[in-house]
């Protein structure tokens, strides 16, 4: 993959403030968390035997260095043949973040992503609302409609109408995440006269919408706080955002849409800081308000060095 083929990943909860000097706003840094998921050919050997201890060390270091968020993805089960492409390891985000919430203080905990069709909206509201209380208001919900039909079938949930069902689930989540007595009446989900206790601590939990299509971007503009694209070239992302900006839905937004982009090949800020800086500039030019970073590393210590080097590089940017 060439430098121009940087791909993207993740949206965010608030627009960055302008810098004191009047220049470009600061870019928030997040990380694609090692160990908790492993794509074939895209992980280090040491991650295979990695444990929660290593993950916690990464989380506390990123927290100390001022990183904005770390991620955990969701797949319940992955068919054996599919795992050869998508990987088979996916730690459960709720259990993982419950542990990490106890050892960190500032860094946000971002699902990347939960599949809406696998859960009733009230299940997400209760479980992640409780996590938001445990974490002191640091949850970000990355949500997507899903694409792995075999997994839908294994779980016994509908696949063909997942887009419409997902839109309704997003609206239901808006109505329930921070409400102790939520009510909602939609096409797929309806509830009233119920108590949801605890609900989220945040008055509005950020919803990042995942996907790589124009429809996922429209969904983010209409129903979310940010876009979580993946597997797309930076130039294509810029063009898609440009098109979306011309829509009435974009103009009607009360807050700017956040877009967090992922580098398409691992960064090496220790060994090649100039390349890391150029990659950041490319992604910001494509529309990034934040980054979700993937580093080159061959050990836990090397990964921690990369975290620190990147934080220092961004301070001088």
């Amino acid at each position: 993959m060439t430098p121009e083929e940087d791909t993207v990943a993740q949206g965010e909860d608030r627009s960055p403030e302008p810098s004191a000097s009047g220049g470009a706003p600061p870019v928030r840094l997040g990380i694609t968390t090692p160990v908790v998921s492993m794509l074939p050919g895209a992980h280090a050997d040491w991650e295979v035997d990695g444990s929660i201890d290593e993950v916690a060390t990464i989380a506390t270091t990123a927290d100390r260095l001022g990183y904005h968020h770390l991620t955990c993805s969701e797949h319940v089960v992955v068919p054996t043949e599919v795992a050869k492409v998508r990987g088979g390891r996916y730690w459960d985000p709720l259990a993982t973040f419950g542990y990490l919430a106890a050892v960190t203080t500032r860094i946000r905990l971002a699902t990347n992503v939960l599949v809406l069709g696998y859960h009733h909206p009230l299940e997400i509201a209760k479980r992640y609302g409780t996590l938001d209380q445990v974490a002191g208001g640091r949850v970000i919900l990355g949500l997507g409609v899903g694409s792995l039909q075999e997994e839908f079938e294994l779980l016994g949930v509908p696949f063909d109408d997942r887009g419409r069902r997902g839109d309704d689930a997003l609206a239901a989540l808006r109505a329930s995440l921070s409400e102790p007595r939520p009510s909602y009446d939609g096409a797929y989900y309806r509830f009233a006269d119920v108590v949801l206790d605890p609900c989220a601590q945040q008055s509005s939990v950020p919803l990042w919408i995942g996907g790589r299509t124009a429809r996922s971007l429209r969904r983010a503009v209409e129903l979310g706080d940010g876009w979580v694209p993946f597997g797309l070239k930076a130039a294509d992302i810029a063009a898609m955002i440009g098109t979306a900006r011309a829509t009435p839905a974009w103009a009607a937004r009360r807050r700017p849409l956040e877009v967090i982009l992922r580098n398409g090949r691992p960064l090496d800020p220790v060994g090649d800081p100039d390349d890391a800086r150029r990659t950041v500039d490319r992604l910001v030019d494509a529309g990034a308000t934040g980054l979700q970073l993937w580093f080159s590393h061959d050990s836990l210590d090397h990964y921690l060095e990369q975290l620190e080097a990147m934080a220092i590089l961004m301070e001088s940017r």
Side-chain angles (χ1 to χ4, degrees):
M1 182 173 287
T2 66
E4 289 73 24
E5 293 175 334
D6 292 315
T7 58
V8 297
Q10 210 140 325
E12 218 274 272
D13 62 322
R14 293 287 187 273
S15 295
E17 296 295 329
S19 65
S21 63
V27 179
R28 295 184 175 106
L29 298 185
I31 59 171
T32 299
T33 312
V35 177
V36 299
S37 61
M38 298 193 306
L39 297 179
H43 63 82
D45 291 343
W46 71 268
E47 294 182 65
V48 174
D49 297 319
S51 71
I52 190 61
D53 293 333
E54 284 81 13
V55 175
T57 298
I58 289 168
T60 56
T61 301
D63 193 33
R64 173 178 58 81
L65 291 171
Y67 279 76
H68 176 262
H69 71 274
L70 54 79
T71 64
C72 191
S73 301
E74 177 188 55
H75 278 290
V76 179
V77 289
V78 180
T80 304
E81 289 301 309
V82 176
K84 295 176 182 178
V85 178
R86 296 196 182 200
R89 175 185 293 180
Y90 291 90
W91 285 26
D92 180 74
L94 191 62
T96 303
F97 285 156
Y99 188 97
L100 297 182
V103 298
T104 58
T105 58
R106 296 184 301 171
I107 196 166
R108 285 178 171 263
L109 311 171
T111 59
N112 182 43
V113 294
L114 294 184
V115 180
L116 287 161
Y118 299 169
H119 313 275
H120 191 285
L122 288 177
E123 293 179 44
I124 297 175
K126 181 58 173 286
R127 293 168 181 168
Y128 285 89
T130 301
L131 177 63
D132 198 54
Q133 291 286 348
V134 169
R138 291 187 283 140
V139 168
I140 297 170
L141 281 177
L143 303 158
V145 300
S147 62
L148 185 53
Q149 184 169 355
E150 299 94 328
E151 190 173 17
F152 278 77
E153 292 171 352
L154 283 165
L155 296 175
V157 292
F159 180 78
D160 290 340
D161 64 347
R162 67 194 186 283
R164 295 187 299 276
R165 185 180 294 271
D167 289 349
D168 199 44
L170 285 167
L173 279 170
R174 283 290 193 203
S176 59
L177 270 166
S178 303
E179 294 294 334
R181 294 184 178 274
S183 62
Y184 181 73
D185 186 3
Y188 290 89
Y189 302 103
R190 300 175 184 85
F191 46 85
D193 300 319
V194 296
V195 176
L196 182 67
D197 186 8
C199 61
Q201 178 175 311
Q202 297 176 85
S203 61
S204 180
V205 176
L207 304 183
W208 296 356
I209 311 303
R212 56 183 300 174
T213 64
R215 181 67 191 96
S216 70
L217 177 52
R218 291 197 301 273
R219 182 174 290 118
V221 172
E222 295 167 3
L223 299 170
D225 299 297
W227 189 32
V228 187
F230 64 92
L232 297 171
K233 296 179 181 179
D236 293 335
I237 294 299
M240 293 170 75
I241 292 173
T243 299
R245 286 182 185 276
T247 63
W250 188 289
R253 289 187 57 84
R254 297 169 63 183
R255 289 199 300 245
L257 184 73
E258 298 289 348
V259 181
I260 291 185
L261 309 186
R262 178 182 175 182
N263 48 303
R265 54 184 176 78
L267 295 182
D268 183 10
V270 170
D272 194 347
D274 289 340
D275 177 70
R277 188 177 292 107
R278 286 192 297 269
T279 299
V280 168
D281 289 343
R282 248 191 319 272
L283 294 174
V284 171
D285 288 346
T289 62
L291 304 175
Q292 181 177 301
L293 299 176
W294 171 37
F295 295 112
S296 174
H297 55 96
D298 55 26
S299 67
L300 174 61
D301 287 342
H302 189 199
Y303 187 88
L304 301 179
E305 291 172 4
Q306 297 285 37
L307 279 181
E308 185 159 10
M310 193 70 203
I312 292 171
L313 184 151
M314 293 300 289
E315 286 178 358
S316 64
R317 183 177 175 270

